[in-house]
Amino acid sequence: MAYEFPEGWRFRMTGWRKFFILVFLVAVGVMIYRLVYGLGAATHLNDQWPWGWWIAVDVLIGVALAGGGYSTAFLVHILHRKQFAPVARAALLTSMLGYILVLIGLFMDIGRWYNFWRPFLVYPGSWHSVLFEVFWCISLYTMVQVLEFGSIVFERVKSDWLKRVFDAMLPPLFILGVVLPTLHQSSLGSLYVVTVDRLDPLWWSIALPIFFLLSSFFVGPAMVTLEGSLAAKAYGRQMEIPVLSRLVKVGAWVMFIYLVLKLIDLGYRNQFGHLFDGSLESNLFLLEIVGGVIVPMIMFAIPSVRNSAGGLITASVLTVGGVILNRMNVVFTGMAAAMGGHYFPKWTEFMVTAGLIALAVLAYCFLVENFAILPAEEHVPAGKPSEAHTSYTVVG
């Protein structure tokens, strides 16, 4: 049972990375303070607003934006659309890091954090709890992604028998890696179905689970595009425009389905009057739908736009911004009138989120510089993605 660790682990220390390390260390101090002194001292949460910044950003938004992992895996490993394989590993890495941060964010938001292990046990009534299902699915899916990543790790950390073990596990892991996210992505919407008398009717719907699931799917290609553009800039690479152009086209079709269902739902519940009444809620809803769904959907549908780096990035930013605004509207805008009281996050709440993002950036840089995550650069004509066997490379 021999292991051969590669020599020359790399991590370039730049000014930005030193800054991210500093931000993360400050956040660690804040997290320790929160664990010692409690939520009351470290946040502005109160009885009217028990769910705040960490739930909205670190959990609801974090889980949605990590959807690129399961949406890409569904296309590549379930539907066998191998033209998307060049971005599959990067999507897995980004999603895995995102879910690890979600678990840390959940841990920070537990009042009695030392009881974090209790949801892993089954109590009477647990099977009827949406939160129980969300916790289990997120935890299991994170473990599935870590196991999937193990196959990549043992390409460099030489251990033939472990490599064979992890490779043998991949088929069932790919299936679980698609099934589990569809459960908890939709169940996060189910959490707000019970707020029928509190959540603004522009966002409340019995179809919220479907809307949450569809939006997490179509934001996946946009997140993969943004991750690819940032990696290309950071490491002096070319964007995988031919691959990403076809990937966002899939996302555009899902956006179209989402939009049609949204309009049908609003009409069925007679909410078009509220939609154009000029209130803050209606204006933010229109911004979310027009700026975050309709405009990028049209941009993705135009070949000349989606085949250019500028068009891809712009439309992807709008898509990601639209999903972020949707989750913020559900948690804050749509609930404000019913919740009463006042809530604005404390600086420590912002600091924890900033620290988690800094950790994700640092971890991503280390992993792509030491493991074969990004595709080996090939000059492929625009609009003609290669469907040949994909090779990956270490960058740095």
Side-chain angles (χ1 to χ4, degrees):
M1 191 182 298
Y3 304 91
E4 182 183 339
F5 288 92
E7 296 181 1
W9 292 98
R10 295 181 293 176
F11 185 73
R12 292 188 295 118
M13 189 58 68
T14 65
W16 275 109
R17 295 185 186 188
K18 292 177 182 177
F19 171 74
F20 285 132
I21 291 173
L22 177 62
V23 170
F24 174 65
L25 291 177
V26 174
V28 169
V30 171
M31 288 188 277
I32 293 173
Y33 176 83
R34 173 264 172 273
L35 296 177
V36 173
Y37 293 99
L39 287 172
T43 72
H44 281 160
L45 297 173
N46 51 63
D47 290 342
Q48 287 74 37
W49 289 93
W51 282 7
W53 180 260
W54 289 340
I55 290 295
V57 177
D58 299 349
V59 179
L60 263 70
I61 292 176
V63 168
L65 298 189
Y70 88 92
S71 59
T72 307
F74 175 71
L75 293 170
V76 175
H77 303 301
I78 304 300
L79 298 185
H80 299 290
R81 303 300 182 186
K82 297 303 181 183
Q83 63 265 41
F84 302 124
V87 298
R89 287 192 173 188
L92 166 64
L93 173 59
T94 306
S95 180
M96 179 183 71
L97 293 176
Y99 271 88
I100 290 173
L101 301 191
V102 166
L103 288 178
I104 297 174
L106 277 173
F107 181 72
M108 288 293 103
D109 204 68
I110 299 174
R112 299 182 179 181
W113 56 268
Y114 43 83
N115 286 328
F116 77 92
W117 54 272
R118 289 187 179 275
F120 286 108
L121 304 180
V122 179
Y123 299 93
S126 294
W127 300 113
H128 304 289
S129 169
V130 175
L131 275 175
F132 177 79
E133 186 267 344
V134 168
F135 178 83
W136 261 93
C137 281
I138 289 178
S139 301
L140 288 174
Y141 182 51
T142 305
M143 182 179 68
V144 165
Q145 289 184 306
V146 171
L147 291 174
E148 286 182 29
F149 196 77
S151 177
I152 300 173
V153 169
F154 288 105
E155 288 177 353
R156 187 166 191 222
V157 179
K158 301 299 183 183
S159 175
D160 292 339
W161 78 274
L162 278 176
K163 174 63 175 169
R164 289 195 299 270
V165 168
F166 278 94
D167 285 350
M169 290 193 296
L170 285 179
L173 288 176
F174 288 146
I175 296 172
L176 284 173
V178 171
V179 172
L180 290 172
T182 61
L183 295 175
H184 65 252
Q185 294 282 5
S186 58
S187 292
L188 286 172
S190 299
L191 290 174
Y192 283 88
V193 170
V194 298
T195 63
V196 57
D197 56 341
R198 286 171 288 169
L199 182 59
D200 189 283
L202 286 175
W203 290 283
W204 184 89
S205 169
I206 196 66
L208 259 179
I210 297 174
F211 293 144
F212 267 53
L213 176 61
L214 290 176
S215 59
S216 73
F217 191 96
F218 71 64
V219 80
M223 279 298 295
V224 172
T225 298
L226 293 183
E227 176 270 326
S229 67
L230 292 172
K233 184 176 180 60
Y235 294 106
R237 296 165 50 87
Q238 292 182 352
M239 282 184 64
E240 299 289 328
I241 291 179
V243 178
L244 296 173
S245 175
R246 295 187 67 174
L247 186 62
V248 298
K249 188 177 178 181
V250 175
W253 278 108
V254 180
M255 294 171 84
F256 177 74
I257 296 171
Y258 174 88
L259 178 63
V260 170
L261 291 178
K262 273 279 191 182
L263 295 176
I264 292 174
D265 177 68
L266 289 171
Y268 178 76
R269 295 185 294 107
N270 299 315
Q271 293 301 319
F272 280 115
H274 183 18
L275 179 61
F276 298 105
D277 64 10
S279 63
L280 174 65
E281 290 80 5
S282 65
N283 289 335
L284 286 176
F285 184 86
L286 286 172
L287 178 62
E288 170 194 321
I289 294 298
V290 176
V293 178
I294 296 176
V295 172
M297 180 183 68
I298 294 173
M299 293 178 69
F300 287 145
I302 301 173
S304 60
V305 175
R306 69 170 185 268
N307 285 324
S308 68
L312 265 177
I313 294 171
T314 301
S316 296
V317 168
L318 290 174
T319 303
V320 171
V323 172
I324 290 174
L325 182 58
N326 170 260
R327 300 307 194 261
M328 295 290 277
N329 281 336
V330 169
V331 177
F332 296 120
T333 310
M335 296 290 289
M339 298 294 278
H342 173 75
Y343 169 76
F344 187 82
K346 199 172 183 177
W347 73 268
T348 48
E349 297 176 69
F350 292 127
M351 193 69 238
V352 168
T353 299
L356 293 178
I357 295 173
L359 174 62
V361 172
L362 293 169
Y364 179 91
C365 292
F366 174 79
L367 291 171
V368 298
E369 290 171 12
N370 291 279
F371 298 98
I373 306 295
L374 301 180
E377 289 191 286
E378 299 175 5
H379 297 286
V380 181
K384 296 181 180 179
S386 172
E387 297 188 20
H389 176 69
T390 302
S391 58
Y392 302 91
T393 186
V394 175
V395 299

